[in-house]
Amino acid sequence: MTRHILVAVGWPYASGPLHLGHLGGAYLPPDIFARYHRLAGHEVLMVSGSDANGTPITVKADELGVTPKEVVDRYHPEIVGYWDRLGISFDLFTTTMTVNHHRVTQEFFLNLLEKGYLVKGSSEQFYDPEAGRFLPDRYVEGVCPHCGYTSARGDQCDNCGRTLDPVDLINPRSRLSGATPELRKTEHYFLDLPAFADRLREWLEGKTTWRKHVKNWALGMIEDMPRRAITRDIEWGVDIPVDDLGPGKKIYVWFDAVIGYLSAAIEWAAETGDPEAWQRWWKDPEAESYYFVGKDNIPFHAVIWPAMLMGHGGLNLPTDVPANQYITFKGAKASKSTGVGRSIGWYAERLEPDSLRYAIAAVLPEQDDTDLSDEEIIRRINEELVATWGNLVNRVLSMSSRNFEGRVPEPDELTDADRGILALGAETLDEVGDHIEGVELRAGLRAAMDAAGEVNAYLNATEPWRMLKDDAKRAGTILWVALQAIAAIRVALYPYLPHTTATIGEMLGTGPDVSSWSAPELAGGTFLGEVSPVFIKLEDDALDD
């Protein structure tokens, strides 16, 4: 049965370069997941885009002395360049500046307003007396009341990940002037989250396969969940579709950003010439939706967005929110705002795409924070990717091409050991597929690499290179068996290593494409392509400045 699977990927702020924490936290995992499901024959729609409306955009614009639009126009192409370089296979990567996104957001707003889930109210918001303006949450910094971090933002603490309100901060200060801000009353619209508490609790308790840290965080949040403002005193963002709040206000970024998943699907459908196509992923109750984000976005995707969808009606709730923990660098959380961790672009200029993908996929922080260093990246590439998979492919293909006239050898009688390796291919695909289905992506990669290790052990035990003179038929059979396993493991590694999968396909004589999640058979006599090393071993100083 064909499944419809929405792969919804967190929207990065187009306010600067992204770092490896972003790649491992939210952008490589959905690509692995989507590539597998496409090969398995399912209809996948993978969407995201640059968040153009957040206060990080206006903060950067203030720093550079340019308009917010100029900031987005500068950094959005850079982000798209990362995806092109690394093969992150979005069906659409757009921005929240589009007319379509603004329209869909306003329609969503009006839907909730009509149903009584948006209410007006007064709140106290920080005001900078020196700058003469209200301060969006990210324009306020101070000490986190939970962990004591001294540079917590008004919306969130980068150190402990807690969601905050600016009034929670100890010793708050304005990012604009450094002044101590004053609380002043202002009128806004609020999402009535408490109205959804019982429905959310029942829905979350039924999520038996979710990651524990995601489910526990979400359940804990709804125990004491206040109404949350969805408008702010800002000048950049989506216009409020009613005019009863007065000038100088826009829809708050967190509200419009999650609606971006829906608006991106609608934009994609319009571009295909079938404007209603998006409904197959959003309105069919059998469709599935997976939201790939970092753990700091759990509240928005596991609680607030589901509440908004419940209020709207007629749209699917998330199937899973497999939020990752943090990638840290020498103990410090990778962060664009604090400058910890080099950019994706920096690494992409120095490493082959699949080498970088492998190094990150091998340490995905699925359950716990994962510490990373340049030394560890180089070690994993050299000792695992090059020494295990690259070495296996190179030595088997080189021996086969050199000794059997550039063709796949013809097999002779098989031993039990041969049959075991032949069975390994299908078994590996089953195991890797099961792991990816459960969003256990690290385990899936490890299963594929373990299979490569088993084939290497088989070769070391059978020593075909020693038999080439005295028993060429046996040597050819061993190599034929190893080639069948390589062809299957190549498919299992495709979601992780799509670029070199194509290269290996050319060398195997099957062509660069992978058409299905199944073990192909390489017929004896098939012409092999030109054989060359797939991966290059890195020098110890390859990532030195």
Side-chain angles (χ1 to χ4, degrees):
M1 181 184 72
T2 300
R3 294 154 58 189
H4 286 84
I5 299 173
L6 175 70
V7 180
V9 185
W11 294 61
Y13 287 119
S15 58
L18 305 184
H19 51 66
L20 291 190
H22 291 112
L23 182 61
Y27 300 106
L28 181 56
D31 185 63
I32 294 167
F33 188 78
R35 285 179 179 275
Y36 159 75
H37 278 290
R38 292 185 190 116
L39 268 193
H42 305 139
E43 294 290 332
V44 173
L45 178 59
M46 177 168 153
V47 295
S48 184
S50 291
D51 191 337
N53 295 328
T55 49
I57 308 296
T58 56
V59 168
K60 177 61 71 172
D62 289 341
E63 289 177 1
L64 299 178
V66 299
T67 66
K69 183 178 184 303
E70 287 176 294
V71 171
V72 178
D73 289 343
R74 172 179 174 180
Y75 288 110
H76 175 68
E78 179 176 340
I79 294 170
V80 171
Y82 301 153
W83 312 148
D84 290 343
R85 171 71 172 158
L86 293 176
I88 308 298
S89 56
F90 286 106
D91 293 289
L92 179 70
F93 190 83
T94 181
T95 78
T96 56
M97 287 196 304
T98 66
V99 172
N100 169 75
H101 174 72
H102 283 226
R103 175 183 60 79
V104 174
T105 298
Q106 290 168 338
E107 289 174 354
F108 208 107
F109 180 105
L110 292 172
N111 176 292
L112 294 179
L113 181 64
E114 181 182 354
K115 293 178 177 178
Y117 294 120
L118 300 185
V119 294
K120 278 198 298 185
S122 295
S123 67
E124 289 188 323
Q125 187 175 337
F126 277 124
Y127 183 89
D128 186 330
E130 293 187 14
R133 56 183 283 191
F134 280 102
L135 297 173
D137 294 354
R138 287 204 175 200
Y139 279 66
V140 184
E141 291 185 345
V143 178
C144 175
H146 302 288
C147 69
Y149 182 57
T150 57
S151 295
R153 304 190 307 261
D155 61 344
Q156 192 168 50
C157 176
D158 273 337
N159 186 57
C160 68
R162 296 286 191 94
T163 300
L164 302 173
D165 283 317
V167 293
D168 297 331
L169 295 174
I170 302 168
N171 298 326
R173 59 186 179 275
S174 168
R175 286 192 59 159
L176 289 177
S177 67
T180 300
E182 304 169 353
L183 283 173
R184 296 191 182 183
K185 279 195 173 183
T186 179
E187 191 173 32
H188 287 288
Y189 274 100
F190 291 76
L191 175 64
D192 189 8
L193 283 172
F196 300 98
D198 290 340
R199 275 185 282 176
L200 284 169
R201 184 180 297 105
E202 181 181 0
W203 175 71
L204 285 165
E205 286 176 347
K207 297 299 182 182
T208 57
T209 61
W210 280 27
R211 293 177 181 172
K212 288 183 179 179
H213 69 274
V214 176
K215 182 175 178 177
N216 290 342
W217 191 336
L219 283 170
M221 180 177 171
I222 63 175
E223 292 306 314
D224 184 22
M225 189 167 53
R227 291 176 173 177
R228 189 175 180 94
I230 68 163
T231 58
R232 269 294 187 266
D233 293 277
I234 49 178
E235 298 179 354
W236 173 251
V238 178
D239 290 333
I240 303 169
V242 291
D243 59 4
D244 54 354
L245 290 182
K249 300 176 191 286
K250 300 283 186 182
I251 290 176
Y252 197 16
V253 62
W254 70 259
F255 183 83
D256 89 85
V258 289
I259 296 172
Y261 303 115
L262 175 62
S263 69
I266 292 172
E267 180 182 344
W268 167 84
E271 291 182 357
T272 68
D274 182 3
E276 304 306 315
W278 64 274
Q279 297 185 25
R280 296 198 292 270
W281 286 269
W282 283 94
K283 293 191 173 183
D284 179 357
E286 298 299 317
E288 305 164 45
S289 53
Y290 296 79
Y291 290 78
F292 287 84
V293 295
K295 71 176 176 182
D296 51 346
N297 272 310
I298 291 173
F300 300 103
H301 293 78
V303 176
I304 296 174
W305 178 228
M308 291 167 61
L309 290 168
M310 290 174 179
H312 184 283
L315 300 172
N316 291 338
L317 296 175
T319 303
D320 198 357
V321 183
N324 274 347
Q325 305 271 10
Y326 293 140
I327 288 181
T328 59
F329 289 85
K330 298 181 179 179
K333 172 184 171 285
S335 169
K336 179 163 59 176
S337 60
T338 59
V340 176
R342 294 190 180 106
S343 74
I344 296 172
W346 189 91
Y347 285 96
E349 289 174 358
R350 291 160 175 80
L351 299 174
E352 289 299 312
D354 279 359
S355 294
L356 180 54
R357 287 175 66 109
Y358 178 85
I360 300 302
V363 297
L364 291 176
E366 293 170 344
Q367 302 296 340
D368 300 290
D369 290 352
T370 299
D371 201 58
L372 191 61
S373 66
D374 290 346
E375 294 79 11
E376 178 68 2
I377 290 173
I378 291 172
R379 186 195 70 77
R380 286 193 177 273
I381 291 171
N382 286 346
E383 296 182 12
E384 298 174 10
L385 185 61
V386 177
T388 300
W389 178 233
N391 177 56
L392 172 63
V393 171
N394 189 61
R395 65 172 173 165
V396 171
L397 280 160
S398 294
M399 276 191 285
S400 300
S401 181
R402 188 169 57 247
N403 294 284
F404 294 89
E405 300 179 338
R407 299 171 184 248
V408 175
E410 295 283 356
D412 198 19
E413 186 176 345
L414 300 177
T415 67
D416 288 343
D418 299 338
R419 293 188 186 92
I421 295 300
L422 287 177
L424 179 66
E427 292 168 357
T428 299
L429 286 166
D430 286 343
E431 184 178 0
V432 174
D434 287 345
H435 282 307
I436 297 178
E437 286 278 0
V439 205
E440 299 170 341
L441 308 180
R442 277 178 68 171
L445 178 59
R446 178 46 47 203
M449 293 298 289
D450 285 347
E454 285 190 50
V455 182
N456 274 320
Y458 163 78
L459 292 172
N460 292 338
T462 55
E463 299 183 319
W465 51 88
R466 292 185 181 274
M467 295 188 177
L468 284 167
K469 279 189 178 181
D470 299 329
D471 192 349
K473 279 191 175 183
R474 178 61 191 151
T477 299
I478 294 168
L479 292 172
W480 177 83
V481 168
L483 286 167
Q484 308 309 310
I486 288 170
I489 296 168
R490 167 182 175 258
V491 175
L493 284 171
Y494 166 78
Y496 302 89
L497 311 174
H499 302 87
T500 49
T501 295
T503 303
I504 294 168
E506 294 280 18
M507 291 194 290
L508 289 171
T510 61
D513 298 332
V514 179
S515 58
S516 68
W517 191 257
S518 59
E521 182 175 343
L522 282 178
T526 299
F527 280 103
L528 298 170
E530 183 178 347
V531 180
S532 60
V534 183
F535 306 103
I536 299 173
K537 186 175 180 179
L538 299 176
E539 298 295 333
D540 291 342
D541 61 355
L543 296 178
D544 288 355
D545 288 325

